[in-house]
Each structure stands twice: as C-alpha cells, then as structure tokens.
Amino acid sequence: MSVLILHRNPFEPFPYGRWLADYPGGIVVLAAHDKLVPFGEQVPTGDHGFAHLEILGDFEDEELVLARAQKLANEFAVRHVVAHHEGDVILAAWLRECRALEGAWTADVLPFRDKALMKERLEQAGIEVARYTVPQNAAEALAFAEQLGFPLVLKERAGFSSIGLRILRDRDELRSHAARVFADSPRDDLILESFVPGRMCHVDGLVCDGRTAVAWPSEYQYDLASYGWDPGARVDLTLDPDDPLTERLLSLTNRALAALRRPYGRLQDHGFHAEIFHTPDDRLVLCEIACRPGGAKVREVFHTLFGYNLGEYATRAGVGLPLPLLEPSRRDGTRPRPLSMAGQVLMMKRPGHVRSLPAVPDDPWVERFWLYGRVGQVIPAASGSSDFLTCAVASAHTRAGCESRLRDLGARFEAQTEIVAMP
C-alpha cells in the first residue's frame, strides 16, 4: 500500500516524510522540476527519503503527468492520492475515481475548480457573488460590458494564483484584449465578472468527516492581482476573535462549503481556502473557494494560530491518519480558538540584478523567515501571486499588534532590498 503525492511546489514547506511518518505504507512522489529551482532548492538526487521520487520538467503536459501517475499507481499499489496545488486537484480526483480509491472523485471536486459552476451553485444557495458571464467571443464580452459597465475582471474558469487575470477598466481595453484572447476561435474557458470593490478576506481551515473541524479568517492588506507590478511589502493578517467580521466570514464559508458539496459525496476530508470580498457598504461577496489548503504562508500562519500546520493536517486527514491536536475540540464539539494572532509579510520577485537582500530578522515575534533569492543573482519577474522574493510569519496578542510588527518588518525588507533593472 502506498500514497501517491502529486507535487507542484517546492519541497521545503511540505516535509511529507515527517507528516506521514506513521503512514502504514510507502510515500511515492511525482514532482515538478520547475517549482524547485526558482525557490532556491536543489533538485533531489535519489529518492529523497521516499519509497519513490520522480521529477518531471513541469506539470503543463497533463497527458504525460497522468501517464506517469497511472504507472506509479500500478507499480506501487497506490491506495491514496494527495494533491495540494490547485492545478492538480482534478487530476488527483480522476486518479482516485478510475482506481476506485478513497477520497474525492471528479464530480466532488469540479464545483471547486470551475468558477462558473461554483458561482451558479453559490447563487442557488442565496450567496452573493459577482455578476458574471462565460463569453464565447469578443462580441459577447462587449455586450456584457454594455450591461454592467467597468471595471470588469477576466480570468480563466480553472485558473489559479491570479495567473492571466486581467482587470479591464474601459471599453477600449476590453476590445483590444478580447481581440487577442478570442482571435483564433470561440472558447468557453474564460469567465468575465463585475469588479467588486473592497478588501479581500480569506478563510482557511479543515473539513473532517464532512464537517468543518477548524477555520479562521484573515484579511489581505493588498491586491492579489498586483503581483506583477507591486514591489513593496504585502501584509496579510488574521482577524481578532471579537472582530464583527469574524463570525460573519466563518458562517458564510460554511454555507459556501455546504452549497458546493455533493449530497452523499466523497469530499469528506480536505483543507479549504475561501476568498471573500468585504465591500465598502459592508456586504460579503464570495469570490471563490478551493478544496485544498491555502498557499503563500497560510499553512505556517495556521501553525502559529493553532499549533499545527494546516498542510500537514489536511494531508493526514486525506489518508485517514489521526489528528491529535484536533481531537479534544472534535470530541466536545467546540470551535478551536487561536493561541495568538498572526500574519505574513511578503515581497514579490521583480526582474533585475540582485544587489542586496534582507537580513534574517532576529525579533522574537518572527516565527519563520524565508528568502528565495541571493545577492548577485539575476531574477525574472514574479510568475504568479505566490512567486515570492522573501516572506515572514509573525505573531502578537492582537491583530493591531501583529499589523504593527508586520509593517515594521516589511519596511525593513524594502529598505534592505536592492534590485537593479537590467539594460
């Protein structure tokens, strides 16, 4: 018996060997080479401590990934399939389904991956979402704009990490962009939405046996889609327990999970990451929700909040292993409360020659620090909203205290970083 892990991430945040030390079988990993080197990792030689490790150039060739995954599943008698990257949850579900394995199958996962289907289900449940359409061609996109006005947001129905997302601010910009994306033929893989003003919140947590076992809300202090041009520090903060938004966000997320979950379905144990707009007029508008743990350093922030890594517990829940630090609250039906407030500060990569980088902070309230570059290196622009130059997780007793610390740390990062554009 083995677990097959589809791994489109660097290895450092995912110590599967430690997380699954008590798994009664082998760990088989199919990994993407292009997610290792940009994060400063050496490509492993040998099996890296796993029963088997295989590294592909990237995961863009889905037929190749599927063929290799099927071969490994046959060779190693795979019983469980794990995938933490948004781009791989459908493939993982399909592998489980075709082999009749435990866990979510394709129909369980699809409402969390297809943004149009997701919005349809959410609307049916009375949850507010942005107005949207799936334009087949430029004419349909322009007609939608005539009804709603601008700005509008165009993105892929199955996109992730804000890659390819475009905010269109007027008719000329829409006309020009639509002429490019619909140049070859009609298509149905894009979704066009009204722009929702306000701050983006997110709720992260874990579902066990079909019920939310733990969850907590945070609020981005920046625009996710600005990863390509914003060189400054980007702060993300948890909400205090007594914040009026906390209960509202947790309640809305539970309603969304219920709306997308199939009755008697197989999606019973999984992490989740919900993104929700809080508008200037105090409405909550569901942007989207994923059935896997959040990216960036959400998993590590969760460790500061509750004492365990969200990625670890989602992995263990998915293969049927115990979750010891969650057992007391699951037994008595209480909601786990955070040990402290926490957050993360990030800086994105930007193209150029690296002259200087932040020093490792020695503040006692800095829980973790990461640096994904080195002095003398020439780096490209960020490829998505999770392509960081540096990041840190910090804690404090209150959200206000945490924000003050993170902003101070971010200012230091900015002052200590010098990247010179190449001629």
Side-chain angles (χ1 to χ4, degrees):
M1 178 177 80
S2 298
V3 53
L4 172 61
I5 299 173
L6 304 178
H7 186 72
R8 196 194 306 218
N9 287 294
F11 276 114
E12 181 271 332
F14 298 89
Y16 296 118
R18 176 167 58 80
W19 289 357
L20 298 174
D22 53 340
Y23 183 74
I27 302 173
V28 178
V29 179
L30 185 60
H33 180 283
D34 68 322
K35 299 301 180 184
L36 304 178
V37 176
F39 287 89
E41 295 190 2
Q42 296 294 319
V43 178
T45 58
D47 288 330
H48 203 52
F50 302 125
H52 179 80
L53 170 64
E54 184 169 325
I55 298 178
L56 300 179
D58 57 46
F59 274 24
E60 298 309 310
D61 186 342
E62 292 188 357
E63 291 186 4
L64 174 61
V65 177
L66 178 59
R68 297 307 304 157
Q70 288 178 311
K71 183 178 185 301
L72 293 173
N74 288 330
E75 183 177 349
F76 291 92
V78 164
R79 181 176 173 183
H80 298 100
V81 181
V82 170
H84 285 309
H85 192 281
E86 186 74 356
D88 300 326
V89 294
I90 285 285
L91 175 58
W94 192 90
L95 284 166
R96 296 187 199 102
E97 186 170 355
C98 72
R99 303 182 69 84
L101 301 179
E102 299 174 21
W105 289 4
T106 308
D108 301 296
V109 170
L110 192 60
F112 291 86
R113 284 294 293 124
D114 181 340
K115 300 181 196 304
L117 176 59
M118 179 189 300
K119 291 180 186 298
E120 179 184 336
R121 297 277 182 87
L122 293 172
E123 282 189 312
Q124 290 172 352
I127 296 172
E128 185 177 359
V129 299
R131 294 183 63 181
Y132 69 97
T133 188
V134 178
Q136 305 288 308
N137 50 51
E140 292 185 4
L142 289 165
F144 182 75
E146 289 296 329
Q147 292 181 345
L148 265 72
F150 292 91
L152 296 172
V153 180
L154 184 68
K155 54 190 175 182
E156 295 182 8
R157 286 173 65 171
F160 50 82
S161 296
S162 299
I163 297 171
L165 183 148
R166 185 72 176 263
I167 299 175
L168 304 164
R169 303 194 178 277
D170 56 45
R171 184 179 178 82
D172 289 342
E173 191 174 359
L174 173 58
R175 188 188 298 276
S176 174
H177 190 63
R180 288 194 297 272
V181 299
F182 295 108
D184 297 330
S185 62
R187 53 192 297 185
D188 63 358
D189 62 329
L190 300 175
I191 184 169
L192 186 63
E193 304 176 354
S194 60
F195 180 86
V196 181
R199 188 74 79 186
M200 174 78 83
C201 302
H202 60 101
V203 179
D204 298 276
L206 182 68
V207 168
C208 297
D209 298 324
R211 298 174 62 87
T212 300
V214 59
W216 203 257
S218 301
E219 186 180 66
Y220 296 117
Q221 306 299 300
Y222 60 90
D223 177 5
L224 284 173
S226 68
Y227 68 86
W229 53 264
D230 179 7
R234 300 153 73 85
V235 170
D236 178 27
L237 291 161
T238 53
L239 298 187
D240 285 316
D242 59 355
D243 190 302
L245 272 181
T246 295
E247 286 299 325
R248 293 173 61 194
L249 288 165
L250 292 172
S251 175
L252 179 60
T253 300
N254 277 331
R255 289 175 57 204
L257 288 167
L260 300 181
R261 189 179 297 122
R262 297 172 67 216
Y264 311 108
R266 303 175 61 90
L267 185 64
Q268 295 291 311
D269 302 282
H270 63 94
F272 61 84
H273 175 74
E275 295 182 341
I276 303 166
F277 295 107
H278 180 218
T279 67
D281 58 353
D282 199 33
R283 292 177 296 120
L284 296 181
V285 180
L286 204 300
C287 178
E288 55 191 63
I289 183 169
C291 59
R292 47 80 187 163
K297 299 304 176 185
V298 165
R299 298 171 296 268
E300 290 79 6
V301 168
F302 215 81
H303 185 276
T304 302
L305 289 177
F306 295 105
Y308 47 86
N309 184 293
L310 181 57
E312 176 183 5
Y313 266 38
T315 303
R316 293 178 63 84
V319 300
L321 292 177
L323 309 174
L325 295 180
L326 255 180
E327 292 309 319
S329 61
R330 293 180 69 190
R331 280 196 304 268
D332 59 27
T334 59
R335 177 193 296 164
R337 290 180 63 84
L339 304 171
S340 67
M341 289 291 93
Q344 53 186 318
V345 58
L346 319 164
M347 285 181 63
M348 308 306 301
K349 290 178 180 174
R350 61 183 190 269
H353 181 259
V354 180
R355 296 280 182 84
S356 65
L357 288 170
V360 178
D362 58 4
D363 311 80
W365 39 265
V366 175
E367 306 287 339
R368 293 285 304 276
F369 172 75
W370 298 262
L371 194 59
Y372 298 114
R374 63 182 186 276
V375 173
Q377 186 179 16
V378 175
I379 57 175
S383 60
S385 62
S386 58
D387 196 1
F388 314 120
L389 177 65
T390 187
C391 22
V393 170
S395 62
H397 292 302
T398 65
R399 171 198 166 112
C402 193
E403 179 170 10
S404 176
R405 288 173 171 179
L406 287 168
R407 294 203 181 281
D408 173 72
L409 194 57
R412 276 187 267 161
F413 287 173
E414 291 177 6
Q416 295 171 356
T417 301
E418 183 183 6
I419 300 177
V420 179
M422 300 295 288

